[in-house]
mmCIF file of all heavy atoms in Angstrom:
data_model
loop_
_atom_site.group_PDB
_atom_site.id
_atom_site.type_symbol
_atom_site.label_atom_id
_atom_site.label_comp_id
_atom_site.label_asym_id
_atom_site.label_seq_id
_atom_site.Cartn_x
_atom_site.Cartn_y
_atom_site.Cartn_z
ATOM 1 N N ALA N 191 97.378 146.214 76.327
ATOM 2 C CA ALA N 191 96.487 147.177 75.677
ATOM 3 C C ALA N 191 96.024 148.283 76.614
ATOM 4 O O ALA N 191 95.318 149.203 76.201
ATOM 5 C CB ALA N 191 95.277 146.440 75.094
ATOM 6 N N GLY N 192 96.372 148.189 77.894
ATOM 7 C CA GLY N 192 95.971 149.241 78.836
ATOM 8 C C GLY N 192 94.495 149.255 79.149
ATOM 9 O O GLY N 192 93.933 150.290 79.505
ATOM 10 N N VAL N 193 93.856 148.123 79.034
ATOM 11 C CA VAL N 193 92.407 148.056 79.209
ATOM 12 C C VAL N 193 92.007 147.771 80.657
ATOM 13 O O VAL N 193 90.884 148.036 81.068
ATOM 14 C CB VAL N 193 91.840 146.976 78.260
ATOM 15 C CG1 VAL N 193 90.402 146.654 78.570
ATOM 16 C CG2 VAL N 193 91.985 147.433 76.807
ATOM 17 N N ILE N 194 92.942 147.238 81.425
ATOM 18 C CA ILE N 194 92.600 146.857 82.805
ATOM 19 C C ILE N 194 93.472 147.576 83.822
ATOM 20 O O ILE N 194 94.594 147.984 83.536
ATOM 21 C CB ILE N 194 92.745 145.326 83.007
ATOM 22 C CG1 ILE N 194 94.141 144.845 82.554
ATOM 23 C CG2 ILE N 194 91.637 144.590 82.277
ATOM 24 C CD1 ILE N 194 94.410 143.386 82.817
ATOM 25 N N ASP N 195 92.904 147.740 85.014
ATOM 26 C CA ASP N 195 93.629 148.310 86.148
ATOM 27 C C ASP N 195 94.601 147.260 86.670
ATOM 28 O O ASP N 195 94.196 146.220 87.201
ATOM 29 C CB ASP N 195 92.608 148.684 87.236
ATOM 30 C CG ASP N 195 93.278 149.189 88.515
ATOM 31 O OD1 ASP N 195 94.526 149.117 88.635
ATOM 32 O OD2 ASP N 195 92.532 149.650 89.398
ATOM 33 N N MET N 196 95.883 147.511 86.543
ATOM 34 C CA MET N 196 96.889 146.489 86.850
ATOM 35 C C MET N 196 96.964 146.159 88.336
ATOM 36 O O MET N 196 97.527 145.145 88.707
ATOM 37 C CB MET N 196 98.263 146.927 86.328
ATOM 38 C CG MET N 196 98.336 147.032 84.806
ATOM 39 S SD MET N 196 97.805 145.523 83.920
ATOM 40 C CE MET N 196 99.117 144.383 84.383
ATOM 41 N N ASN N 197 96.431 147.026 89.184
ATOM 42 C CA ASN N 197 96.444 146.698 90.612
ATOM 43 C C ASN N 197 95.136 146.106 91.110
ATOM 44 O O ASN N 197 94.918 145.977 92.307
ATOM 45 C CB ASN N 197 96.845 147.925 91.436
ATOM 46 C CG ASN N 197 98.340 148.146 91.341
ATOM 47 O OD1 ASN N 197 99.119 147.187 91.394
ATOM 48 N ND2 ASN N 197 98.751 149.398 91.148
ATOM 49 N N SER N 198 94.280 145.767 90.162
ATOM 50 C CA SER N 198 93.011 145.138 90.550
ATOM 51 C C SER N 198 93.007 143.645 90.238
ATOM 52 O O SER N 198 92.012 142.972 90.468
ATOM 53 C CB SER N 198 91.853 145.812 89.803
ATOM 54 O OG SER N 198 91.878 145.445 88.432
ATOM 55 N N ILE N 199 94.128 143.139 89.739
ATOM 56 C CA ILE N 199 94.120 141.762 89.229
ATOM 57 C C ILE N 199 94.114 140.722 90.353
ATOM 58 O O ILE N 199 94.941 140.783 91.261
ATOM 59 C CB ILE N 199 95.343 141.519 88.309
ATOM 60 C CG1 ILE N 199 95.255 142.439 87.081
ATOM 61 C CG2 ILE N 199 95.411 140.056 87.886
ATOM 62 C CD1 ILE N 199 96.494 142.433 86.217
ATOM 63 N N ILE N 200 93.167 139.811 90.251
ATOM 64 C CA ILE N 200 93.084 138.664 91.155
ATOM 65 C C ILE N 200 93.147 137.408 90.300
ATOM 66 O O ILE N 200 92.355 137.248 89.372
ATOM 67 C CB ILE N 200 91.778 138.698 91.971
ATOM 68 C CG1 ILE N 200 91.817 139.854 92.970
ATOM 69 C CG2 ILE N 200 91.546 137.365 92.681
ATOM 70 C CD1 ILE N 200 90.485 140.128 93.638
ATOM 71 N N ILE N 201 94.118 136.562 90.603
ATOM 72 C CA ILE N 201 94.274 135.319 89.841
ATOM 73 C C ILE N 201 93.934 134.145 90.736
ATOM 74 O O ILE N 201 94.597 133.903 91.746
ATOM 75 C CB ILE N 201 95.720 135.173 89.312
ATOM 76 C CG1 ILE N 201 96.060 136.340 88.379
ATOM 77 C CG2 ILE N 201 95.890 133.834 88.594
ATOM 78 C CD1 ILE N 201 97.528 136.391 87.969
ATOM 79 N N ASP N 202 92.872 133.456 90.384
ATOM 80 C CA ASP N 202 92.474 132.258 91.122
ATOM 81 C C ASP N 202 92.826 131.073 90.225
ATOM 82 O O ASP N 202 92.189 130.844 89.192
ATOM 83 C CB ASP N 202 90.968 132.304 91.419
ATOM 84 C CG ASP N 202 90.544 131.268 92.431
ATOM 85 O OD1 ASP N 202 90.461 130.075 92.048
ATOM 86 O OD2 ASP N 202 90.313 131.621 93.593
ATOM 87 N N ALA N 203 93.874 130.324 90.618
ATOM 88 C CA ALA N 203 94.416 129.283 89.743
ATOM 89 C C ALA N 203 94.196 127.905 90.352
ATOM 90 O O ALA N 203 94.096 127.756 91.573
ATOM 91 C CB ALA N 203 95.900 129.514 89.529
ATOM 92 N N LYS N 204 94.064 126.914 89.479
ATOM 93 C CA LYS N 204 93.781 125.535 89.894
ATOM 94 C C LYS N 204 94.741 124.625 89.148
ATOM 95 O O LYS N 204 94.810 124.673 87.930
ATOM 96 C CB LYS N 204 92.350 125.159 89.521
ATOM 97 C CG LYS N 204 91.250 125.992 90.194
ATOM 98 C CD LYS N 204 90.837 127.217 89.377
ATOM 99 C CE LYS N 204 89.712 127.997 90.046
ATOM 100 N NZ LYS N 204 89.512 129.332 89.417
ATOM 101 N N SER N 205 95.392 123.755 89.888
ATOM 102 C CA SER N 205 96.382 122.894 89.250
ATOM 103 C C SER N 205 96.166 121.429 89.575
ATOM 104 O O SER N 205 95.766 121.070 90.682
ATOM 105 C CB SER N 205 97.794 123.286 89.706
ATOM 106 O OG SER N 205 98.760 122.385 89.173
ATOM 107 N N GLY N 206 96.489 120.586 88.621
ATOM 108 C CA GLY N 206 96.600 119.161 88.878
ATOM 109 C C GLY N 206 97.788 118.869 89.768
ATOM 110 O O GLY N 206 98.640 119.731 90.026
ATOM 111 N N THR N 207 97.869 117.618 90.217
ATOM 112 C CA THR N 207 98.789 117.253 91.283
ATOM 113 C C THR N 207 100.202 116.975 90.794
ATOM 114 O O THR N 207 101.138 116.957 91.582
ATOM 115 C CB THR N 207 98.224 116.030 92.017
ATOM 116 O OG1 THR N 207 96.892 116.346 92.427
ATOM 117 C CG2 THR N 207 99.010 115.693 93.246
ATOM 118 N N SER N 208 100.388 116.753 89.500
ATOM 119 C CA SER N 208 101.749 116.529 89.023
ATOM 120 C C SER N 208 102.619 117.751 89.292
ATOM 121 O O SER N 208 103.836 117.625 89.427
ATOM 122 C CB SER N 208 101.755 116.174 87.531
ATOM 123 O OG SER N 208 101.187 117.205 86.780
ATOM 124 N N GLY N 209 101.996 118.918 89.405
ATOM 125 C CA GLY N 209 102.736 120.131 89.720
ATOM 126 C C GLY N 209 103.413 120.090 91.087
ATOM 127 O O GLY N 209 104.359 120.832 91.344
ATOM 128 N N ALA N 210 102.926 119.215 91.947
ATOM 129 C CA ALA N 210 103.517 119.108 93.288
ATOM 130 C C ALA N 210 104.743 118.208 93.308
ATOM 131 O O ALA N 210 105.378 118.036 94.343
ATOM 132 C CB ALA N 210 102.470 118.585 94.274
ATOM 133 N N GLY N 211 105.076 117.637 92.170
ATOM 134 C CA GLY N 211 106.297 116.839 92.084
ATOM 135 C C GLY N 211 106.129 115.398 92.521
ATOM 136 O O GLY N 211 105.048 114.979 92.939
ATOM 137 N N ARG N 212 107.241 114.668 92.392
ATOM 138 C CA ARG N 212 107.197 113.218 92.615
ATOM 139 C C ARG N 212 107.801 112.817 93.958
ATOM 140 O O ARG N 212 108.101 111.648 94.195
ATOM 141 C CB ARG N 212 107.954 112.519 91.475
ATOM 142 C CG ARG N 212 107.523 111.103 91.261
ATOM 143 C CD ARG N 212 108.052 110.497 89.984
ATOM 144 N NE ARG N 212 107.513 109.177 89.802
ATOM 145 C CZ ARG N 212 108.239 108.058 89.814
ATOM 146 N NH1 ARG N 212 109.538 108.108 89.982
ATOM 147 N NH2 ARG N 212 107.667 106.878 89.659
ATOM 148 N N GLY N 213 107.985 113.777 94.835
ATOM 149 C CA GLY N 213 108.535 113.468 96.153
ATOM 150 C C GLY N 213 107.559 112.651 96.983
ATOM 151 O O GLY N 213 106.344 112.783 96.841
ATOM 152 N N ALA N 214 108.104 111.822 97.860
ATOM 153 C CA ALA N 214 107.268 110.949 98.699
ATOM 154 C C ALA N 214 106.765 111.729 99.900
ATOM 155 O O ALA N 214 107.386 111.740 100.954
ATOM 156 C CB ALA N 214 108.080 109.739 99.123
ATOM 157 N N LYS N 215 105.645 112.414 99.717
ATOM 158 C CA LYS N 215 105.059 113.211 100.802
ATOM 159 C C LYS N 215 103.642 112.741 101.086
ATOM 160 O O LYS N 215 102.870 112.506 100.151
ATOM 161 C CB LYS N 215 105.016 114.687 100.397
ATOM 162 C CG LYS N 215 106.401 115.295 100.199
ATOM 163 C CD LYS N 215 106.264 116.760 99.793
ATOM 164 C CE LYS N 215 107.641 117.360 99.519
ATOM 165 N NZ LYS N 215 107.541 118.666 98.848
ATOM 166 N N VAL N 216 103.306 112.673 102.362
ATOM 167 C CA VAL N 216 101.953 112.251 102.742
ATOM 168 C C VAL N 216 100.901 113.096 102.038
ATOM 169 O O VAL N 216 99.899 112.578 101.543
ATOM 170 C CB VAL N 216 101.769 112.329 104.280
ATOM 171 C CG1 VAL N 216 100.297 112.186 104.654
ATOM 172 C CG2 VAL N 216 102.579 111.226 104.960
ATOM 173 N N GLN N 217 101.121 114.404 101.975
ATOM 174 C CA GLN N 217 100.100 115.302 101.427
ATOM 175 C C GLN N 217 99.787 115.052 99.959
ATOM 176 O O GLN N 217 98.773 115.512 99.463
ATOM 177 C CB GLN N 217 100.529 116.749 101.617
ATOM 178 C CG GLN N 217 101.709 117.145 100.742
ATOM 179 C CD GLN N 217 102.403 118.392 101.244
ATOM 180 O OE1 GLN N 217 102.653 118.546 102.421
ATOM 181 N NE2 GLN N 217 102.722 119.287 100.328
ATOM 182 N N ASN N 218 100.654 114.324 99.262
ATOM 183 C CA ASN N 218 100.407 114.044 97.855
ATOM 184 C C ASN N 218 99.969 112.610 97.588
ATOM 185 O O ASN N 218 99.860 112.201 96.432
ATOM 186 C CB ASN N 218 101.644 114.381 97.025
ATOM 187 C CG ASN N 218 101.946 115.862 97.055
ATOM 188 O OD1 ASN N 218 101.048 116.684 97.205
ATOM 189 N ND2 ASN N 218 103.207 116.211 96.936
ATOM 190 N N LEU N 219 99.710 111.852 98.641
ATOM 191 C CA LEU N 219 99.203 110.494 98.459
ATOM 192 C C LEU N 219 97.827 110.520 97.794
ATOM 193 O O LEU N 219 97.072 111.482 97.953
ATOM 194 C CB LEU N 219 99.080 109.787 99.819
ATOM 195 C CG LEU N 219 100.388 109.503 100.559
ATOM 196 C CD1 LEU N 219 100.089 108.851 101.916
ATOM 197 C CD2 LEU N 219 101.309 108.609 99.736
ATOM 198 N N PHE N 220 97.513 109.446 97.113
ATOM 199 C CA PHE N 220 96.215 109.368 96.452
ATOM 200 C C PHE N 220 95.068 109.685 97.410
ATOM 201 O O PHE N 220 94.169 110.468 97.101
ATOM 202 C CB PHE N 220 96.028 107.973 95.851
ATOM 203 C CG PHE N 220 94.745 107.814 95.094
ATOM 204 C CD1 PHE N 220 94.654 108.213 93.771
ATOM 205 C CD2 PHE N 220 93.610 107.289 95.696
ATOM 206 C CE1 PHE N 220 93.470 108.087 93.065
ATOM 207 C CE2 PHE N 220 92.418 107.158 94.998
ATOM 208 C CZ PHE N 220 92.350 107.557 93.679
ATOM 209 N N CYS N 221 95.098 109.050 98.585
ATOM 210 C CA CYS N 221 93.968 109.210 99.510
ATOM 211 C C CYS N 221 93.901 110.596 100.145
ATOM 212 O O CYS N 221 92.900 110.937 100.775
ATOM 213 C CB CYS N 221 94.027 108.151 100.602
ATOM 214 S SG CYS N 221 93.633 106.496 99.998
#
Side-chain angles (χ1 to χ4, degrees):
Chain N
V193 169
I194 53 175
D195 175 352
M196 295 307 292
N197 283 318
S198 72
I199 297 172
I200 291 169
I201 299 172
D202 193 284
K204 298 91 178 168
S205 175
T207 306
S208 60
R212 204 168 184 245
K215 296 180 183 168
V216 168
Q217 70 199 44
N218 295 331
L219 294 178
F220 183 84
C221 289

